[in-house]
Amino acid sequence: MGKHPASMSQYTTQIAKAPKGHTIPPLLRDVGAFVGTQDHGTLGWFDVFGFDAIPSEYSPENAKRLQAAGFSFLKLPDGSLLALLKNAVVLLGSEGETRTVADSLEAFLVAWSEGSTGIYDLDDDDASSGREALAAWIQARGLRVPKAPRFDFSAWLDGEAPTPEVAPVAGLGTPTDDVKAMGPALRRLVSLLGQRADSPEVVRYAEEVLGKPAPRSTTPQTDSINLEAPKAGVELNFTHEVLHEAFPPIPKTARTFVPYLSLAWVRPQFPEPVLGLDATDLTEEAITKKLGPPTELRPSSMLTDALTVPHWVRPLDSTGTTELVVSLRKVRTITLQVREARALDPFSSVGTALFVGWAATRGLLEPSRFAAHAEQLAAVRRREARGSELMKAALPRGLWDAHLRDLPGLRLRAYRWFHNMNGLWIDADLLKVFGKDAGGAPKLEADTWAAVDAASPVFEKHFAQWLD
């Protein structure tokens, strides 16, 4: 995001008038007056703190509801707005993203003074020299964060009643011996992996350890939300798109979802060792002394074949659904995560259906991933059903790399081929075979077996080394 050069000019404020139909809370007007006394670039990268109606273009279908329920008070450099709505502070992003920033104005001000709003232009340390003054202003007023109800802006914006709550995700298996040997802080974090963001345990952890609320929901525009607490040595990732069968998307409203805690990064500031590793164990030799030899070597990126990056992988539950990964590129990274797949094609195109049909007949699909649809898989192998029929029944979220057999290099090759990497691309190959339609895509109407046979030479060219 764009930054402004530091200057001695002060922030502009426009706080004299309230938008039509609204009354400005005294606290918000007072903080606006305070901001107007601060030098530009000391409280964040913005120009004007002022009250205004929420422009219709931010959500044309909800413009009247938005304008009746709240008003904006700060515009960010990228065009995003912060608004006070139903006593909460919310974000209306310039790219359509929406979320609750804080459940109350008081909570927002405290987070602003700490650089923990989750908004880059307010949290950037290069524009933070005024935070101490804001914290002192808050303290001088005796401001306290009230116990406010959790507000889900994205779900409210959807204009529909939330779906009934369901129970949090059940246990993913019994903890491994590694987990039993961990300290209490790390065991607590591990126990939350794969749980819903609205589970009581996750909500408490976010509030107690991170000092922030857990995400209320995610949307197609904002399908992933990170929460970071540098002093606690933890960063969490929440998403509704966990590519694992045990974690289907959970609709909250028509266009919002309940996310899962899918990933946690454990930083050197974490208060406990991780399997004996402390902040000084930063070399391969030091890590090997504690964990043994690396479990595997992986490429440094999806673009290279060289296996140069050591990884130590330990399962965290008896099903292997969650794992701890220590990796050592230029720096050491410790990750707790749900072991999920990578998407090849989430949209189930005709070209992908051709490949699925061909892969089924050539033994490249992983049978365990189709256990509930074994008869349909067998029918495709006999060419009595098409790949698209198998995908409709068994792959409602599209084709993943884990749907292919776990053979050395196969899943990486497929990922590159589906994602146009290293000169490999399924669409380019299919264009050569079938020509292009009016939109420039491969000219394919259905995944007939005749079409599979026509495409087989290009499939075999890329995957011959893994065929039986």
Side-chain angles (χ1 to χ4, degrees):
M1 297 189 182
K3 297 181 181 179
H4 302 278
S7 74
M8 294 305 294
S9 64
Q10 294 173 327
Y11 289 107
T12 298
T13 60
Q14 297 171 354
I15 59 176
K17 295 182 179 180
K20 185 178 179 180
H22 292 282
T23 300
I24 305 301
L27 176 60
L28 185 59
R29 197 182 295 277
D30 289 349
V31 78
F34 167 80
V35 169
T37 68
Q38 303 301 299
D39 288 339
H40 188 273
T42 60
L43 288 172
W45 303 117
F46 63 93
D47 294 320
V48 179
F49 187 106
F51 311 135
D52 205 352
I54 297 172
S56 299
E57 57 264 27
Y58 280 83
S59 182
E61 69 275 24
N62 291 297
K64 290 184 179 180
R65 289 180 68 230
L66 278 169
Q67 292 162 359
F71 57 90
S72 68
F73 64 88
L74 196 151
K75 187 172 185 178
L76 300 170
D78 69 346
S80 299
L81 294 179
L82 289 184
L84 188 68
L85 189 143
K86 289 187 168 290
N87 299 318
V89 175
V90 302
L91 174 72
L92 286 149
S94 58
E95 300 298 324
E97 65 274 28
T98 58
R99 66 179 175 88
T100 302
V101 178
D103 289 321
S104 66
L105 178 57
E106 292 87 348
F108 168 73
L109 295 178
V110 170
W112 192 3
S113 73
E114 296 173 345
S116 61
T117 65
I119 298 169
Y120 172 81
D121 288 305
L122 300 184
D123 295 346
D124 186 5
D125 287 340
D126 290 338
S128 65
S129 60
R131 286 182 196 157
E132 287 188 10
L134 177 57
W137 182 87
I138 291 170
Q139 186 175 16
R141 293 179 64 97
L143 201 67
R144 295 289 183 269
V145 176
K147 197 167 184 65
R150 286 167 56 86
F151 177 62
D152 188 338
F153 178 46
S154 296
W156 177 89
L157 197 62
D158 216 9
E160 299 174 16
T163 55
E165 297 290 342
V166 298
V169 176
L172 302 175
T174 57
T176 61
D177 289 342
D178 282 331
V179 175
K180 295 174 184 177
M182 293 174 177
L186 191 57
R187 279 203 312 273
R188 182 184 184 188
L189 182 55
V190 167
S191 72
L192 302 178
L193 279 178
Q195 295 295 335
R196 290 171 44 154
D198 60 354
S199 73
E201 295 81 7
V202 173
V203 171
R204 280 197 299 271
Y205 185 87
E207 293 175 348
E208 294 173 1
V209 178
L210 280 68
K212 302 175 182 180
R216 277 69 167 170
S217 62
T218 46
T219 68
Q221 293 79 16
T222 308
D223 63 4
S224 178
I225 295 176
N226 280 24
L227 292 185
E228 185 175 10
K231 292 181 181 178
V234 176
E235 182 175 358
L236 308 181
N237 175 262
F238 294 86
T239 179
H240 65 267
E241 285 289 354
V242 180
L243 300 189
H244 189 291
E245 291 87 349
F247 304 93
I250 305 171
K252 187 171 185 179
T253 64
R255 289 172 290 186
T256 65
F257 299 86
V258 178
Y260 300 94
L261 173 56
S262 67
L263 221 160
W265 291 275
V266 180
R267 308 300 191 197
Q269 297 84 357
F270 195 78
E272 295 174 353
V274 178
L275 299 185
L277 298 177
D278 58 34
T280 65
D281 296 316
L282 301 175
T283 66
E284 183 171 353
E285 181 181 8
I287 297 171
T288 297
K289 283 183 179 179
K290 302 284 181 70
L291 302 185
T295 309
E296 58 186 285
L297 297 176
R298 298 179 184 176
S300 59
S301 78
M302 298 298 289
L303 298 173
T304 180
D305 291 318
L307 303 176
T308 59
V309 182
H311 283 67
W312 293 260
V313 182
R314 299 287 185 88
L316 296 174
D317 70 276
S318 56
T319 67
T321 302
T322 57
E323 61 186 9
L324 181 150
V325 180
V326 179
S327 62
L328 187 64
R329 286 186 173 87
K330 293 182 180 180
V331 296
R332 185 191 73 182
T333 302
I334 299 177
T335 308
L336 310 174
Q337 62 188 28
V338 173
R339 185 178 184 180
E340 59 178 314
R342 292 183 294 236
L344 300 182
D345 178 11
F347 305 110
S348 304
S349 67
V350 177
T352 297
L354 284 184
F355 173 74
V356 168
W358 176 82
T361 64
R362 304 306 300 269
L364 294 184
L365 298 184
E366 172 53 51
S368 64
R369 293 282 182 166
F370 297 87
H373 300 87
E375 291 185 9
Q376 193 122 26
L377 175 59
V380 175
R381 285 173 173 164
R382 297 192 300 268
R383 296 169 65 112
E384 295 172 358
R386 296 186 298 186
S388 58
E389 295 172 283
L390 178 62
M391 293 188 70
K392 184 177 180 180
L395 307 179
R397 300 166 66 189
L399 181 66
W400 305 340
D401 66 343
H403 293 132
L404 303 179
R405 292 174 63 193
D406 191 10
L407 301 175
L410 172 60
R411 292 175 177 177
L412 177 60
R413 169 62 63 87
Y415 187 88
R416 290 174 176 171
W417 188 54
F418 274 92
H419 291 275
N420 192 13
M421 300 171 70
N422 287 20
L424 306 172
W425 194 23
I426 180 175
D427 281 10
D429 288 330
L430 295 180
L431 283 169
K432 292 177 183 177
V433 176
F434 300 104
K436 66 176 66 174
D437 61 18
K443 194 174 182 180
L444 275 167
E445 294 183 0
D447 60 316
T448 63
W449 283 105
V452 172
D453 291 339
S456 286
V458 297
F459 294 161
E460 291 180 6
K461 179 182 73 173
H462 291 297
F463 298 99
Q465 70 188 88
W466 296 284
L467 299 178
D468 293 335

